[in-house]
Amino acid sequence: MPPQPRSPEPQAVTPAPGQDARLLTEAVTRLRRALRASIRTDYPWEQLPMAQVELLQVLAEHSPARIGDLATRQRLATSTVSGLIGQMINAGLVARAVDPADRRASAVSLTDAGRAQLAAWAEAHERRLDAALGALDEEEREVVRAALPALFRLAEQLDETDR
Amino acid sequence: MPPQPRSPEPQAVTPAPGQDARLLTEAVTRLRRALRASIRTDYPWEQLPMAQVELLQVLAEHSPARIGDLATRQRLATSTVSGLIGQMINAGLVARAVDPADRRASAVSLTDAGRAQLAAWAEAHERRLDAALGALDEEEREVVRAALPALFRLAEQLDETDR
DNA sequence: CAGAATATTTCGGAGACCGATGTAACCTGG
DNA sequence: CCAGGTTACATCGGTCTCCGAAATATTCTG
């Protein structure tokens, strides 16, 4: 029965200890749900799973990539990426070729269809998110923007301590 | 590099227009993955799915709650909550009673086992997250903390525009 | 009190992941 | 140069997170 000792600021450098942990987790959960939901709403038609979109984004910048590279970059298990790429090949979004340097590996690259889908998705997604961001005060937007690098660092830290 | 034909931007008040959208989405995805992974690592034994933990947290503060209330508060479909509560009842974490005021509704409440599981989970989770936060600079931590309210607002905005 | 509105449950389904296992294709030490 | 170990993947099976549609009690209302 914790009688929450929270009100007249004792004098700690860091406000609530475990409080941040919970709020942060909750925020991430909510944002993820909200993002997924709005994407579903924006795209009742041709649904493109987020996991696939993210792979397309990586491929858009590092074209022929191997399954393992994609997995590492996205911090996913290779089996996961393998499966996703399989679906994407069926959907014609990417193409797989054998890496001449190492015939075990495959060189995955975007197809024109993949590039087009990615562009369309990004456009709609940005429009939507920008609209939501636009509903915030400039100050709030600024705070969010400022936190992005730290959030990435935090994710890295979690991954790392994990290993 | 590929000539990106992207930016009909007249002149926005904010620096990068769609860039934030992508970074934010990416950050959320990464954090969610990292959180899930570290939780799996911390709890190889008795696994308690995050969705269930979140319901336990709500119940810890608003004890007898109805399925619909939980769904609304968590922004989930009632069918989702119904299913989760079903599992939690089997696990003995919560108990369901008929709401005397409306016999269609059920009054869900925590059991001692549920309270205990929640406490154990929270303890381990906070420990882990605090460790990761501790690896950041005080400044980064501060920036993250400062962004939390805005992130919640953003999630709300997305949910709302959605409806 | 019949029909409409509500609170839940049950189904079926899709996405997002992982770990174990199987299989080619490398790469070594002898 | 070749047996054995190490990659790089693909495949399977399994868990978790969710949703929407349809079925079922209840409650409310004209």
Side-chain angles (χ1 to χ4, degrees):
Chain A
M1 48 241 134
Q4 303 214 311
R6 309 230 49 243
S7 38
E9 295 311 316
Q11 85 293 68
V13 183
T14 55
Q19 198 59 18
D20 285 343
R22 177 170 168 187
L23 285 179
L24 182 55
T25 305
E26 210 174 313
V28 170
T29 300
R30 287 216 188 299
L31 276 173
R32 176 176 150 283
R33 286 214 265 262
L35 286 173
R36 273 178 65 66
S38 56
I39 287 168
R40 250 200 320 276
T41 304
D42 286 342
Y43 275 86
W45 17 302
E46 178 106 36
Q47 271 295 1
L48 190 51
M50 272 186 54
Q52 294 188 22
V53 171
E54 283 163 13
L55 287 178
L56 288 178
Q57 287 176 331
V58 172
L59 286 170
E61 290 174 1
H62 305 82
S63 210
R66 308 196 300 173
I67 300 289
D69 297 340
L70 293 171
T72 301
R73 208 181 293 271
Q74 298 291 87
R75 313 257 170 190
L76 293 174
T78 69
S79 62
T80 300
V81 176
S82 178
L84 289 170
I85 292 295
Q87 301 173 233
M88 293 163 82
I89 288 176
N90 289 340
L93 302 174
V94 301
R96 171 160 43 202
V98 175
D99 182 334
D102 182 342
R103 272 177 312 191
R104 289 170 300 181
S106 49
V108 180
S109 53
L110 279 180
T111 61
D112 287 339
R115 232 179 303 274
Q117 282 281 308
L118 173 57
W121 188 91
E123 207 269 326
H125 181 56
E126 283 172 17
R127 186 191 303 294
R128 153 64 57 131
L129 228 182
D130 285 346
L133 281 169
L136 302 185
D137 306 336
E138 175 54 33
E139 192 193 340
E140 290 178 299
R141 241 169 294 151
E142 193 46 58
V143 166
V144 168
R145 209 170 2 240
L148 290 178
L151 291 177
F152 275 103
R153 280 252 299 148
L154 181 58
E156 273 170 45
Q157 274 307 318
L158 284 167
D159 282 340
E160 214 162 299
T161 318
D162 212 15
R163 256 175 293 133
Chain B
M1 291 318 155
Q4 300 208 306
R6 305 236 51 242
S7 45
E9 287 313 306
Q11 86 292 73
V13 183
T14 56
Q19 197 59 19
D20 285 342
R22 177 169 168 186
L23 284 179
L24 182 55
T25 305
E26 210 174 313
V28 170
T29 300
R30 287 216 187 300
L31 275 173
R32 176 179 148 283
R33 286 215 264 261
L35 287 173
R36 271 177 66 67
S38 55
I39 286 168
R40 251 201 318 276
T41 303
D42 285 343
Y43 275 86
W45 17 301
E46 179 107 34
Q47 271 296 3
L48 190 51
M50 272 185 54
Q52 294 190 20
V53 171
E54 283 164 13
L55 287 179
L56 289 178
Q57 287 176 330
V58 172
L59 287 170
E61 290 174 2
H62 304 80
S63 211
R66 307 196 300 173
I67 300 290
D69 297 340
L70 293 171
T72 301
R73 208 180 293 271
Q74 297 292 88
R75 313 258 170 190
L76 292 174
T78 68
S79 63
T80 300
V81 175
S82 176
L84 288 170
I85 292 296
Q87 300 173 234
M88 292 164 82
I89 287 176
N90 289 340
L93 302 174
V94 301
R96 170 162 43 204
V98 175
D99 181 334
D102 182 342
R103 271 178 314 193
R104 287 170 301 181
S106 48
V108 180
S109 53
L110 278 181
T111 60
D112 288 338
R115 233 181 301 276
Q117 282 281 308
L118 173 57
W121 188 90
E123 207 269 324
H125 181 55
E126 284 171 19
R127 186 193 301 296
R128 155 62 60 129
L129 226 183
D130 285 346
L133 281 168
L136 303 185
D137 307 336
E138 175 55 33
E139 192 194 339
E140 290 178 300
R141 242 169 293 152
E142 193 47 57
V143 165
V144 169
R145 204 160 16 225
L148 290 178
L151 292 178
F152 276 102
R153 279 253 298 148
L154 181 58
E156 272 170 46
Q157 273 308 316
L158 285 167
D159 283 338
E160 214 162 300
T161 318
D162 210 15
R163 253 177 297 132

